[in-house]
C-alpha cells in the first residue's frame, strides 16, 4: 500500500500534468526514491492510484531505463557507455570498476552496496569518461580516482 507520504508527494506533482496517467514516470521515480526499486506490487499500487492498468504503467516503466524493476544495491553506478567516453578512457575505468567490485553490468555486489549499469551519455562528454553514482556525476575519471570515489558511498 502506498504510504501517506508517497501519496502526498505524487498528488503534489499531479497539477503539472494534463492527466493522472501522464504523471506515471515521475510517480515511479518518487516511489523508487522511497523503496529503492519498483516491485510488481508497487507498480500495481501506483497504477491503481493513477487510475491506470498495471500493464499500461509497466510499459512506461520499462521504456525509461532509470526505473529499476529488479532490486538494486544501495547505490547505483551508471557507467557512461557512449562514444566520447569510449574514446577518453571508458575501458580502463570499466575494467577497474568490475575488478574492484567483483561484478559486471546488471549485477550487485554481495554486500548489497553497489549495482553496476551501463547508461547512454551522461551529458558530460567534454569531461569524459564519466560515471554517475546515485545523483552524483563523477567526471574526468581514471582508475586512480575510483577508490576514493567509491569510499564516499557506504
Ligand atoms: S559520451 Fe560519456 S558523457 Fe557523453
Amino acid at each position: 500500500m502506498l504510504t501517506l507520504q508517497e501519496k502526498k508527494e505524487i498528488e503534489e506533482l499531479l497539477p503539472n500534468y494534463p492527466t493522472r496517467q501522464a504523471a506515471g514516470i515521475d510517480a515511479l521515480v518518487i516511489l523508487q526514491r522511497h523503496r529503492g526499486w519498483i516491485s510488481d506490487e508497487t507498480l500495481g499500487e501506483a497504477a491503481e492510484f493513477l487510475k491506470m492498468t498495471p500493464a499500461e504503467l509497466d510499459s512506461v516503466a520499462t521504456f525509461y531505463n532509470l526505473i529499476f524493476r529488479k532490486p538494486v544495491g544501495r547505490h547505483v553506478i551508471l557507467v557512461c557507455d557512449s562514444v566520447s567516453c569510449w574514446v577518453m578512457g571508458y575501458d580502463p575505468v570499466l575494467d577497474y570498476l568490475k575488478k574492484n567490485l567483483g561484478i559486471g553490468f546488471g549485477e550487485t555486489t554481495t554486500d548489497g552496496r553497489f549495482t553496476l549499469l551501463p547508461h547512454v551519455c551522461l551529458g558530460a562528454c567534454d569531461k569524459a569518461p564519466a560515471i554517475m553514482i546515485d545523483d552524483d556525476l563523477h567526471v574526468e575519471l581514471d582508475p586512480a580516482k575510483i577508490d576514493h570515489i567509491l569510499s564516499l558511498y557506504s
Side-chain angles (χ1 to χ4, degrees), residues 2 10 20 24 27-28 31 35 38 40-52 57:
L2 301 188
I10 295 170
R20 290 177 80 81
L28 292 175
L31 295 173
R35 301 176 180 211
I38 303 296
D40 288 345
E41 183 183 0
T42 298
L43 185 95
E45 293 164 358
E48 185 179 351
F49 190 68
L50 295 170
K51 304 191 186 321
M52 308 170 71
L57 187 55

Side-chain angles (χ1 to χ4, degrees), residues 74-75 77 96-97 100-101 113-114 131 133 136 138 143-154:
R74 293 191 297 282
H75 308 286
I77 303 173
Y96 190 87
L97 280 167
N100 187 282
L101 298 173
R113 189 170 163 219
F114 292 111
I131 65 173
I133 304 180
D136 306 324
H138 300 280
K145 296 178 180 174
I146 292 175
D147 284 343
H148 171 68
I149 290 170
L150 295 181
S151 75
L152 302 174
Y153 302 88
S154 56

Side-chain angles (χ1 to χ4, degrees), residues 77-88:
I77 303 173
L78 301 175
V79 181
C80 177
D81 190 7
S82 297
V83 64
S84 294
C85 288
W86 296 339
V87 171
M88 297 300 291

Side-chain angles (χ1 to χ4, degrees), residues 1-98:
M1 180 181 288
L2 301 188
T3 66
L4 288 176
Q5 180 64 30
E6 289 167 344
K7 288 180 182 175
K8 178 174 173 281
E9 290 179 35
I10 295 170
E11 289 283 2
E12 284 173 359
L13 62 86
L14 291 179
N16 300 324
Y17 295 94
T19 64
R20 290 177 80 81
Q21 293 84 355
I25 286 288
D26 281 338
L28 292 175
V29 168
I30 288 171
L31 295 173
Q32 183 165 278
R33 194 166 57 238
H34 284 282
R35 301 176 180 211
W37 65 290
I38 303 296
S39 67
D40 288 345
E41 183 183 0
T42 298
L43 185 95
E45 293 164 358
E48 185 179 351
F49 190 68
L50 295 170
K51 304 191 186 321
M52 308 170 71
T53 67
E56 286 171 335
L57 187 55
D58 197 25
S59 69
V60 174
T62 51
F63 183 73
Y64 184 63
N65 70 349
L66 292 180
I67 297 297
F68 307 130
R69 293 287 282 119
K70 293 181 180 171
V72 292
R74 293 191 297 282
H75 308 286
V76 174
I77 303 173
L78 301 175
V79 181
C80 177
D81 190 7
S82 297
V83 64
S84 294
C85 288
W86 296 339
V87 171
M88 297 300 291
Y90 164 90
D91 284 325
V93 166
L94 179 61
D95 289 347
Y96 190 87
L97 280 167
K98 285 180 170 175

